[in-house]
Amino acid sequence: MSASRKQSRVSLRGASASEISRDALLEKVAHERKHRSFTRRASAAALFIQRVWRRYYVIKRAGEQLQEEWEVLADGFSNHETVGWLSSNLIRPFLFFTSYSLASHRKLNFAEVKCFSLCFRILLQNINTADSEKSFCSLAVGTAQERSTWFYQAKKLSLLSFALLAECDSTCDDDDRMISLTALGIRLVVSLTDLRQWKCLKIENIEEADAAVKRLIYFLVRSSVMYSSFRSFLMKLKICNVHEESKNIIPTENIFLITASTLTLALRPFKSKSEKSNGDAFDFRIAFEQYCIFILTVPYLTRRLPNLLVPAVKHLSVLSPCLKALLVSKDIIFVEMLKFEDSGILHSTGELVPSCGWALANVIDLVTECDHDSVDSGHFIHGLDCMLYVQVINSISENLLDCLGNIGILARKDHRYVEMDDPSSQDNSSVNCNGRELAHANFLSPVHQQWHLRKLLSLIEKSEQVQQTNSCVSNHDIDDIRNLRLIDIVYFYNFFLRIFSFLNPAGGSLPILNVLSFTPGLVTQLWETLEDSIFGGNDCRLLEDSLNDSNFGNCNNSSGDKKQKMGMKDTGSKLVNIFQKIAGKSTDLNITLIDVTSHHNQASLNALYTWDVQGMKKGSQGISNDVSCVLHLFCAIYAHLLLILDDIDFYEKQVPFTLQQQQKIASVLNTFVYNSLSHNTVQNRKPVVDAAVKCLHFLYERDCRHKFCPSSLWVAPAYRACIPIAAAARAHEAAHSNLQLGDASTIPSMSSVLTTVPHVFPFEERVQMFREFVKMDKLARRAAGEVSANGIGSVEIVVRRDHIVDDGFRQLNSLGSKLKSGIIVSFVSECGLPEAGLDYGGLSKEFLTDLSKAAFDPRFGLFCETSTTDGNLVPNISSRLLDNGMEMFEFLGRVVGKALYEGILLDYTFSLVFVQKLLGQYSFLDELSTLDSELYRNLMYLKHYDGDVAELSLDFTVTEEVCGKRIVRELRPDGRNVLVTNENKLQYIHAIADYKLNWQMLASANAFYRGLIDLIAPSWLSLFNANEFNQLLSGGKHDFDVDDLRRNTRYSGGYSEGSRTVKIFWEHEILERLFGLSRMLGSSSYYFAIRRVDASDRLNSHRLHSLALLPVEDSNNTF
């Protein structure tokens, strides 16, 4: 019985425990609960949809029925009906069924357009009646109920008209009915808001009627419908080019009527101002804000409006409130402008310029009057408050730059010379870059015209207070409006430098730099401002005393002949010797310079302290925003000016600065850049640091070519920064790797210094870094198994002495970077017999030296000597016609790279211009004196020629002789037909110099560069300038220091320093006679060796260069 009971038991849960678990049961219950909830919500949604649909259907049916009745009633309308009947029986039902038509967002059909037109015509005719019992406008001055009725119906009629305006598209040819209907609607709104068209209005009702009209206008302003609809209409109008005659063509009658009427409505609040009527305050400042947001941001505003309407928007009564609104309510306005970008309105226009960018362009276009037939003829509109104008432009510009930065447009661009195109293929016509047309930059053209800057500078001298042009803005709201100062103009043009660099893709900031650079006294005024801010009193006098004590300060009194001699003869003179301990003298233009790498005595430390400007010790974080802005503008202007100043201007005439001032400028920039990089503060003020780096590089490159600063100036900021050479080398390599990956934020501070301004470290330290690079590379190759200590991996070659270039090219050119391995050379004599030799590395050195002598010899044809007294080497322009000319240049690049890699000094030096191409640097006009001194003198004569240049019959071509043939090349498109005149002679001079310096040898230089970087990384070369590269390659032309060489000599084979033969060798100073050493060989890092051999061997039987093989001799006569 108990068993049967167990079998009959069931679970009250509905299933046995073995069939469903507790978790599954809970999940099932939750699912059912969720399903029930969904069912309830679905039912409620269905009921809601049904209610909405029923409501829509009922209203639609009622509207259709009411529309049919209204059409019958309107067709029988006569002027005898009263205003009450008009409001109740005509306007009220019309507003009911038209609301459905507009809410459906569809195009109006013919019947609906007919109803709209009929109603608008009836109302326009009714407003024109003088009978107050019949005129609709009489309700505005009636009882309270009538005034309320009039305001409601006038409001609805206005909204209806502006809705039609927003949908009106003047570009559609088949939309004439809608255009005519929109014109009627806008005319109706104009009549409703213009008391002069109310024929029924009596004198005693004018004040009350005026209050009603202001209330209606205020509603349209508050709702934003008026300005937003006007913007939508303007965005669909055609844009007329200012240079086209079609600009003077008046548009169709209805389009012109709509534009003029809507503009009249948009400008109504500017006449009303902030007035009070019947206790109701109408603050129309919101209208000014709406106008700035919706109208001033319309692209090409004045080019969309007919010419007859442009004076209305340029009127001072319109512009002045807008400028004040942009200054007082800038936060609100700029936030609203950003909504155009977020909503996609900006991109729908096909423009990539932010809305605040168009506000900037339109404001400048509206406040200026320019003659498009003249480049520099214009003026501000009469009565403009220029101080307020500058404040507003600065505010908009700052917001624009923030907007561009937030959307990631301001990306860093790395311009390298080797990526440039041939100038003969460049076209100066207007371009389209990434969707940005030059039309926007053309709207900003008054900013880079001379009259604009002259007018603003003239206001600085005035001390009058700003006069308020209206009373709508209280004084405490515009506390920032003050007398115009230099700092205001500095901010103004500083912003535009950055704006033009992006929004003008064709020329960048060049138009701004041109007008700033050629404004007399501006750059000197900026420097005086910086000088007062940075130096102050004692520090300034201390630096001036140092300048007066220096021999550089005496350059001001030197004769012109001496300066010319310094500029022409000694341009290619080398800097401090690579091996400072062997060199005994300095050849720095007979000027006593402080040697910062020698013993740091008290005098040298004082000089270093003097050039290390204390006011710049904290870099960019240690200066105020104002000083940073002035410094940025000064560096940008002066860097641009340095491109134009020739040596006569810089060294002889000393304009715009004396040489003393140039040294002070260089020291300020040098200290500022170094400390900004070392303190990692570049990202905070990157534009000013970039501008300072560019200007500093130009000054340093000019000083390298023609000294005007002591060497201690350049190394002064880092004289305390003694870092391990190996660590510096590794950091420099890591920095360049990060730069190639585009990640500059992870670069250590000292690596940024080495990468950007390596000259702050002495040349000798950088040479040691270079040798450390080579050492690290050799260790890496050995770790990779490419080479080994026992010579495995070396390249064996057999070379005929009388065919050394051909044999070397044939056997080594295909190796590429494998040429870094050792070379085992076997020479074959002219008789065809192998030469016996002990190769301790000397034969490979002899091979590279002899090969370079033969290949770089001008008689070989690949290189030729410059026409200057230095006789440096440049590629022969005829060599590019050889069958293997470019391959031979690549091979010679590898030969030079091998010499640098192994520390072998060659006998030739290259022209500074050619080396600049290898370093990726652009060459400018003054470098031409080191390449072709005669051509440089002729161009300088042309530059300073006072007569009519056109009489010289020059054109924009250059003639060069290649293999006996004269080839004419154009310097610009159609240059044969462009005559050189006084107006374009500077362009001609720079075009000639640009071709000679940067294009003529470009193919050869690029080939040579490709071979060079197979062995020497570009990051290694970036440590040196052109002069230093030559010195690294061929050594310095300094006196030979035998004592230093003796201290660094190694002895072997049984010899020692005390051996008799060795003593006789050193007593007879025969090194130069025996080995032909006209240059120093090395310093403590390079060793000279003397080895004992049998007496049967001839002393000069092996030219091992750094190894002397001496037999045992007891007699002095042997030597």
Side-chain angles (χ1 to χ4, degrees):
M1 183 173 181
S2 61
S4 61
R5 288 180 179 178
K6 291 182 179 179
Q7 292 178 354
S8 61
R9 287 178 180 177
V10 294
S11 175
L12 297 178
R13 295 177 297 175
S16 64
S18 60
E19 293 177 356
I20 185 170
S21 64
R22 179 176 181 276
D23 293 338
L25 178 62
L26 293 176
E27 183 179 357
K28 179 180 178 181
V29 171
H31 177 72
E32 292 176 351
R33 184 184 300 112
K34 185 177 181 180
H35 178 71
R36 291 192 298 271
S37 176
F38 174 79
T39 303
R40 288 194 299 270
R41 287 187 287 109
S43 300
L47 292 175
F48 176 77
I49 294 173
Q50 291 175 3
R51 286 197 301 270
V52 172
W53 170 251
R54 283 196 299 269
R55 179 177 183 275
Y56 169 78
Y57 181 76
V58 170
I59 292 177
K60 178 183 177 182
R61 292 294 302 271
E64 292 175 352
Q65 181 179 357
L66 193 60
Q67 181 178 349
E68 294 176 359
E69 296 175 357
W70 186 90
E71 290 177 358
V72 175
L73 183 64
D75 290 337
F77 177 79
S78 64
N79 292 330
H80 301 290
E81 282 77 5
T82 63
V83 63
W85 184 93
L86 179 70
S87 175
S88 301
N89 298 331
L90 189 69
I91 300 178
R92 184 178 179 182
F94 173 78
L95 294 176
F96 177 81
F97 67 76
T98 54
S99 61
Y100 155 74
S101 301
L102 294 179
S104 61
H105 298 287
R106 58 177 177 79
K107 190 174 181 179
L108 299 179
N109 56 39
F110 179 79
E112 291 170 334
V113 171
K114 180 181 178 182
C115 291
F116 276 75
S117 301
L118 182 58
C119 181
F120 290 159
R121 286 193 176 93
I122 291 175
L123 289 176
L124 286 171
Q125 184 179 3
N126 177 266
I127 294 175
N128 196 39
T129 183
D131 190 351
S132 60
E133 297 294 331
K134 300 178 180 180
S135 176
F136 172 68
C137 293
S138 63
L139 294 176
V141 294
T143 63
Q145 181 64 32
E146 291 176 341
R147 292 197 300 271
S148 178
T149 301
W150 179 87
F151 176 74
Y152 175 80
Q153 294 182 347
K155 176 179 66 174
K156 290 295 184 178
L157 289 170
S158 300
L159 293 176
L160 182 63
S161 300
F162 283 119
L164 294 173
L165 177 67
E167 298 297 327
C168 182
D169 190 355
S170 61
T171 60
C172 296
D173 297 332
D174 57 347
D175 209 19
D176 291 338
R177 293 185 297 108
M178 287 299 301
I179 294 176
S180 301
L181 176 60
T182 304
L184 287 173
I186 297 301
R187 281 180 55 196
L188 175 61
V189 180
V190 171
S191 298
L192 289 174
T193 56
D194 187 1
L195 296 181
R196 292 173 298 181
Q197 298 188 31
W198 293 14
K199 302 298 184 182
C200 66
L201 189 61
K202 299 179 180 179
I203 298 178
E204 59 271 16
N205 296 329
I206 290 181
E207 184 177 350
E208 193 174 1
D210 184 63
V213 169
K214 284 191 171 112
R215 183 184 177 192
L216 176 61
I217 296 176
Y218 188 68
F219 165 79
L220 297 176
V221 170
R222 292 283 299 180
S223 63
S224 303
V225 64
M226 179 169 62
Y227 291 112
S228 61
S229 300
F230 191 24
R231 176 187 173 86
S232 300
F233 175 75
L234 289 175
M235 295 293 286
K236 298 172 186 176
L237 291 179
K238 294 181 180 180
I239 303 172
C240 296
N241 194 321
V242 71
H243 299 291
E244 296 176 356
E245 294 181 0
S246 60
K247 178 69 171 111
N248 297 322
I249 299 177
I250 299 178
T252 60
E253 181 179 357
N254 283 329
I255 295 298
F256 180 82
L257 179 61
I258 295 173
T259 308
S261 300
T262 311
L263 182 61
T264 300
L265 292 172
L267 299 183
R268 283 271 163 84
F270 292 87
K271 296 181 179 179
S272 300
K273 302 291 182 173
S274 296
E275 299 180 4
K276 294 184 178 181
S277 299
N278 295 336
D280 295 328
F282 300 104
D283 188 357
F284 283 105
R285 282 185 295 185
I286 190 175
F288 310 150
E289 297 173 3
Q290 296 289 334
Y291 186 88
C292 295
I293 295 170
F294 290 100
I295 306 304
L296 290 186
T297 57
V298 173
Y300 313 102
L301 175 60
T302 56
R303 296 189 188 178
R304 297 177 187 270
L305 296 174
N307 268 349
L308 294 176
L309 302 181
V310 172
V313 295
K314 295 172 74 76
H315 197 272
L316 187 62
S317 62
V318 176
L319 291 177
S320 182
C322 287
L323 294 179
K324 291 182 179 179
L326 284 168
L327 189 61
V328 175
S329 307
K330 57 184 178 181
D331 295 335
I332 299 175
I333 293 175
F334 293 149
V335 169
E336 293 297 322
M337 287 182 180
L338 286 175
K339 293 181 180 179
F340 293 128
E341 283 82 356
D342 297 337
S343 63
I345 297 177
L346 173 70
H347 300 283
S348 66
T349 64
E351 300 292 340
L352 294 183
V353 179
S355 55
C356 54
W358 284 112
L360 179 71
N362 286 328
V363 169
I364 294 174
D365 183 52
L366 291 172
V367 303
T368 57
E369 295 285 354
C370 298
D371 185 3
H372 296 290
D373 297 331
S374 177
V375 178
D376 194 21
S377 176
H379 58 86
F380 292 112
I381 62 172
H382 180 70
L384 177 69
D385 187 347
C386 293
M387 291 171 282
L388 177 61
Y389 160 71
V390 171
Q391 296 273 333
V392 170
I393 294 299
N394 287 346
S395 178
I396 302 177
S397 300
E398 184 176 10
N399 180 265
L400 173 60
L401 291 172
D402 291 340
C403 181
L404 295 176
N406 291 335
I407 61 179
I409 290 181
L410 291 179
R412 181 177 180 179
K413 300 169 184 169
D414 183 17
H415 299 284
R416 284 187 59 84
Y417 172 79
V418 294
E419 298 176 355
M420 297 173 63
D421 299 324
D422 194 314
S424 61
S425 63
Q426 294 177 355
D427 189 2
N428 294 326
S429 60
S430 61
V431 298
N432 187 301
C433 180
N434 297 329
R436 303 185 304 272
E437 296 184 355
L438 286 181
H440 180 271
N442 291 341
F443 263 55
L444 304 177
S445 60
V447 174
H448 56 77
Q449 292 180 359
Q450 197 70 40
W451 68 265
H452 187 279
L453 179 57
R454 285 198 304 265
K455 175 62 176 179
L456 296 181
L457 291 176
S458 66
L459 294 177
I460 298 179
E461 302 175 358
K462 299 181 180 180
S463 59
E464 294 83 10
Q465 296 294 329
V466 176
Q467 297 180 357
Q468 301 297 330
T469 56
N470 52 58
S471 58
C472 67
V473 181
S474 60
N475 291 333
H476 68 273
D477 287 335
I478 50 174
D479 291 335
D480 291 336
I481 302 177
R482 58 186 185 275
N483 289 336
L484 193 63
R485 302 178 304 169
L486 179 62
I487 189 63
D488 298 319
I489 299 179
V490 169
Y491 273 105
F492 184 96
Y493 283 97
N494 184 50
F495 288 138
F496 276 100
L497 280 178
R498 299 169 59 189
I499 292 172
F500 266 72
S501 64
F502 172 75
L503 295 182
N504 185 17
S509 57
L510 186 61
I512 301 293
L513 290 174
N514 284 336
V515 69
L516 294 174
S517 300
F518 293 105
T519 299
L522 178 60
V523 68
T524 56
Q525 192 173 4
L526 292 175
W527 171 245
E528 290 172 359
T529 303
L530 281 175
E531 202 172 20
D532 293 339
S533 301
I534 297 172
F535 293 100
N538 296 330
D539 291 339
C540 185
R541 289 193 294 271
L542 177 63
L543 185 57
E544 289 178 353
D545 293 340
S546 176
L547 292 173
N548 293 330
D549 293 339
S550 172
N551 287 337
F552 280 85
N554 297 331
C555 291
N556 296 336
N557 300 324
S558 301
S559 62
D561 296 338
K562 181 177 180 180
K563 292 173 185 174
Q564 187 68 20
K565 180 179 179 181
M566 290 166 57
M568 299 298 180
K569 182 177 180 179
D570 298 320
T571 299
S573 62
K574 295 176 172 53
L575 297 177
V576 181
N577 197 329
I578 180 175
F579 310 112
Q580 186 66 33
K581 293 185 178 180
I582 291 183
K585 297 181 181 180
S586 175
T587 58
D588 285 338
L589 303 179
N590 297 323
I591 297 174
T592 303
L593 301 180
I594 298 174
D595 181 11
V596 297
T597 62
S598 62
H599 303 289
H600 284 297
N601 53 34
Q602 190 61 37
S604 63
L605 289 176
N606 289 338
L608 291 171
Y609 177 80
T610 299
W611 296 118
D612 191 16
V613 180
Q614 297 301 310
M616 292 296 183
K617 292 291 286 183
K618 294 183 180 180
S620 58
Q621 69 179 2
I623 58 177
S624 64
N625 291 334
D626 289 351
V627 174
S628 175
C629 189
V630 176
L631 181 62
H632 183 195
L633 191 65
F634 170 78
C635 291
I637 297 174
Y638 196 45
H640 184 68
L641 199 58
L642 285 171
L643 302 180
I644 304 170
L645 292 176
D646 54 43
D647 283 348
I648 297 176
D649 296 327
F650 193 91
Y651 293 99
E652 293 187 18
K653 297 181 180 179
Q654 296 188 17
V655 292
F657 300 109
T658 65
L659 293 183
Q660 286 184 349
Q661 291 175 315
Q662 300 285 7
Q663 295 174 54
K664 189 182 291 188
I665 293 171
S667 65
V668 168
L669 298 183
N670 201 39
T671 308
F672 172 76
V673 171
Y674 171 80
N675 287 285
S676 296
L677 295 172
S678 61
H679 292 144
N680 282 326
T681 60
V682 175
Q683 296 301 325
N684 297 332
R685 284 176 174 161
K686 191 174 182 301
V688 62
V689 176
D690 289 343
V693 168
K694 182 179 180 180
C695 188
L696 178 64
H697 283 172
F698 286 161
L699 287 171
Y700 178 68
E701 291 170 6
R702 188 178 287 262
D703 180 72
C704 292
R705 181 173 47 82
H706 183 172
K707 279 287 184 181
F708 67 91
C709 290
S711 299
S712 59
L713 184 149
W714 302 112
V715 299
Y719 73 96
R720 291 195 182 112
C722 297
I723 58 175
I725 298 300
R730 289 192 296 269
H732 183 67
E733 287 291 88
H736 267 273
S737 299
N738 290 333
L739 282 177
Q740 292 176 356
L741 295 175
D743 185 11
S745 60
T746 59
I747 299 178
S749 58
M750 197 53 61
S751 303
S752 300
V753 174
L754 287 171
T755 305
T756 309
V757 283
H759 63 258
V760 298
F761 296 100
F763 177 51
E764 292 75 17
E765 292 184 9
R766 286 180 278 134
V767 172
Q768 294 178 36
M769 292 181 194
F770 179 83
R771 302 314 311 170
E772 187 66 26
F773 292 151
V774 175
K775 179 181 177 181
M776 291 165 53
D777 187 73
K778 288 182 177 180
L779 292 175
R781 296 182 68 247
R782 182 171 298 177
E786 298 181 17
V787 293
S788 62
N790 55 9
I792 298 177
S794 299
V795 180
E796 298 183 6
I797 61 173
V798 178
V799 178
R800 298 170 293 174
R801 287 194 177 274
D802 52 347
H803 295 83
I804 190 170
V805 177
D806 295 335
D807 290 349
F809 175 77
R810 176 173 49 83
Q811 299 178 69
L812 299 178
N813 186 51
S814 61
L815 295 179
S817 61
K818 294 181 180 180
L819 194 58
K820 293 179 179 180
S821 303
I823 303 176
I824 301 176
V825 182
S826 298
F827 280 107
V828 176
S829 66
E830 296 178 358
C831 300
L833 300 176
E835 294 184 1
L838 301 175
D839 195 350
Y840 292 95
L843 287 179
S844 59
K845 294 180 182 179
E846 181 183 357
F847 163 71
L848 290 175
T849 304
D850 290 349
L851 186 149
S852 64
K853 284 183 179 179
F856 292 127
D857 193 319
R859 291 173 295 181
F860 192 76
L862 289 178
F863 283 84
C864 60
E865 294 183 346
T866 60
S867 60
T868 60
T869 57
D870 298 318
N872 294 326
L873 295 179
V874 292
N876 192 330
I877 60 176
S878 301
S879 62
R880 59 191 175 193
L881 301 179
L882 300 177
D883 294 337
N884 63 343
M886 294 299 103
E887 293 181 359
M888 186 62 73
F889 274 109
E890 283 192 37
F891 172 65
L892 293 182
R894 296 186 183 98
V895 170
V896 170
K898 179 65 174 177
L900 292 173
Y901 194 81
E902 300 295 345
I904 300 173
L905 301 178
L906 301 181
D907 291 334
Y908 291 99
T909 58
F910 297 111
S911 168
L912 299 183
V913 175
F914 178 67
V915 177
Q916 286 176 336
K917 304 286 101 40
L918 304 181
L919 299 179
Q921 297 174 356
Y922 192 86
S923 301
F924 298 99
L925 175 61
D926 286 321
E927 273 80 14
L928 187 60
S929 62
T930 65
L931 184 67
D932 191 337
S933 57
E934 182 179 359
L935 176 61
Y936 178 75
R937 286 193 298 268
N938 291 337
L939 291 179
M940 290 301 99
Y941 172 79
L942 179 63
K943 179 180 179 180
H944 299 284
Y945 183 65
D946 295 331
D948 187 4
V949 177
E951 297 177 354
L952 303 179
S953 301
L954 299 173
D955 55 29
F956 276 79
T957 60
V958 60
T959 303
E960 57 184 11
E961 187 172 344
V962 180
C963 298
K965 297 182 179 180
R966 298 175 65 86
I967 300 177
V968 178
R969 301 188 183 276
E970 294 184 336
L971 299 174
R972 60 185 296 179
D974 196 27
R976 300 174 185 268
N977 300 320
V978 180
L979 187 67
V980 180
T981 62
N982 290 336
E983 288 73 21
N984 62 12
K985 69 178 181 180
L986 284 180
Q987 299 178 18
Y988 171 77
I989 291 171
H990 285 276
I992 286 281
D994 182 52
Y995 177 78
K996 288 288 185 179
L997 296 172
N998 299 307
W999 303 110
Q1000 193 175 55
M1001 66 179 74
L1002 182 59
S1004 303
N1006 282 342
F1008 194 95
Y1009 176 78
R1010 289 192 296 269
L1012 178 63
I1013 63 175
D1014 279 344
L1015 287 88
I1016 305 298
S1019 61
W1020 304 356
L1021 297 176
S1022 66
L1023 293 177
F1024 307 102
N1025 58 43
N1027 273 317
E1028 292 168 342
F1029 177 88
N1030 272 335
Q1031 192 170 344
L1032 186 68
L1033 177 64
S1034 60
K1037 296 180 180 179
H1038 301 281
D1039 290 347
F1040 190 75
D1041 192 342
V1042 178
D1043 293 334
D1044 185 74
L1045 184 64
R1046 185 173 181 176
R1047 289 191 298 269
N1048 295 283
T1049 300
R1050 292 177 177 178
Y1051 303 94
S1052 61
Y1055 277 145
S1056 66
E1057 188 175 0
S1059 300
R1060 178 177 176 82
T1061 302
V1062 173
K1063 291 180 178 180
I1064 296 175
F1065 177 83
W1066 289 117
E1067 290 174 358
H1068 295 73
E1069 298 178 358
I1070 60 173
L1071 287 173
E1072 185 171 345
R1073 174 175 58 85
L1074 184 61
F1075 295 102
L1077 297 177
S1078 60
R1079 300 167 289 112
M1080 48 78 191
L1081 295 177
S1083 64
S1084 58
S1085 60
Y1086 292 82
Y1087 292 94
F1088 180 66
I1090 297 179
R1091 181 180 178 86
R1092 179 177 177 174
V1093 296
D1094 294 336
S1096 59
D1097 290 338
R1098 295 295 299 171
L1099 182 62
N1100 60 350
S1101 61
H1102 300 286
R1103 302 172 60 202
L1104 303 184
H1105 292 263
S1106 59
L1107 175 64
L1109 304 180
L1110 301 183
V1112 178
E1113 298 290 348
D1114 295 330
S1115 173
N1116 293 343
N1117 295 330
T1118 302
F1119 290 102

